[in-house]
Amino acid sequence: MVSTEIVEEEEVSPQLPLLSLNHVSFVCKSVSKSVRFYEDVLGFVLIKRPSSFKFEGAWLFNYGIGIHLLECNSPANMPEKKGVINTKDNHISFQCSDMSLVMRKLEGMKIEYVTAVVEEGGIKVDQLFFHDPDGYMVEICNCDSLPVLPLSSCPLKKLNYSKEDYLSPYYGKMSKAHCAWQVETLMMESLVTDMMDISF
């Protein structure tokens, strides 16, 4: 007689235990030139990089994220630097509270940029695009004008509210998406916690 053993499969969470964006990496022709750009233009701070790396590079940090610069093996292997600023190109984006100040700074540093405006439901978002020394795109925007509204079903436990409509405490827009409000709240709580950790 053959015995059959029933093995219970361990329940696997459908979501990865991700917390936040840690860093982005860029391969560059000159680490020192790119470091100066990210320090002088975007306000990043050079931080200690592990000494076990066998190649040249630099780590910078600010605004809760890191930028890791990796020196290329040969400048000839680098893609040709883009001359025209294409707003549909790959890019890293930074939230900004004063777009006109950014424009004045870029103009003072003689950095070419282009602007664009996105509109959704009467809300306008200003965008500004420019290249780093290797042609990677950087965007500056005031994107927090738009509420975060997930399109898929909400992974968070829904709370009970007496009113269907509510005023978002962070975006100032009326919305009926309770789930979006919870997502916004958790995002802001995480941001405040990170800022407190950095300040102490």
Side-chain angles (χ1 to χ4, degrees):
M1 181 176 178
V2 179
S3 65
T4 58
E5 184 179 348
I6 299 175
V7 179
E8 292 185 11
E9 292 185 9
E10 184 178 337
E11 187 175 335
V12 179
S13 172
Q15 296 180 349
L16 294 175
L18 305 181
L19 301 175
S20 63
L21 175 66
N22 181 271
H23 70 273
V24 294
S25 293
F26 296 122
V27 175
C28 52
K29 289 181 181 178
S30 168
V31 169
S32 59
K33 186 175 180 180
S34 292
V35 164
R36 285 196 303 274
F37 173 87
Y38 284 100
E39 284 180 326
D40 297 344
V41 179
L42 295 174
F44 275 78
V45 177
L46 195 62
I47 62 172
K48 182 174 173 53
R49 178 175 179 260
S51 58
S52 59
F53 285 118
K54 305 300 182 189
F55 53 89
E56 291 298 317
W59 285 13
L60 300 105
F61 184 84
N62 204 350
Y63 318 110
I65 64 166
I67 291 181
H68 294 183
L69 301 174
L70 318 171
E71 190 158 290
C72 65
N73 294 330
S74 169
N77 295 335
M78 287 285 292
E80 187 175 338
K81 183 176 176 180
K82 302 175 179 73
V84 178
I85 299 174
N86 177 5
T87 60
K88 291 173 62 178
D89 205 348
N90 297 325
H91 62 272
I92 180 173
S93 179
F94 295 95
Q95 176 64 32
C96 173
S97 61
D98 189 341
M99 296 293 287
S100 60
L101 179 62
V102 175
M103 286 187 268
R104 289 197 302 272
K105 179 170 183 176
L106 293 178
E107 289 164 4
M109 300 179 80
K110 295 185 173 23
I111 296 176
E112 181 186 358
Y113 66 87
V114 299
T115 60
V117 176
V118 176
E119 186 172 354
E120 175 64 28
I123 302 170
K124 290 186 178 180
V125 171
D126 297 306
Q127 298 174 297
L128 186 152
F129 298 88
F130 55 97
H131 287 150
D132 83 347
D134 293 287
Y136 296 114
M137 181 79 74
V138 177
E139 176 193 8
I140 308 292
C141 71
N142 54 3
C143 300
D144 68 346
S145 301
L146 290 172
V148 178
L149 302 174
L151 296 178
S152 61
S153 61
C154 187
L156 305 175
K157 181 179 178 182
K158 291 191 176 182
L159 303 176
N160 293 322
Y161 296 95
S162 57
K163 292 184 178 180
E164 187 173 295
D165 293 332
Y166 71 91
L167 182 64
S168 166
Y170 303 114
Y171 293 112
K173 306 293 183 296
M174 294 301 294
S175 173
K176 297 181 180 179
H178 293 170
C179 177
W181 182 85
Q182 294 172 64
V183 171
E184 292 175 15
T185 301
L186 288 180
M187 289 170 62
M188 292 305 296
E189 287 175 355
S190 175
L191 175 62
V192 170
T193 302
D194 288 345
M195 291 173 66
M196 289 177 65
D197 288 343
I198 292 171
S199 63
F200 289 107

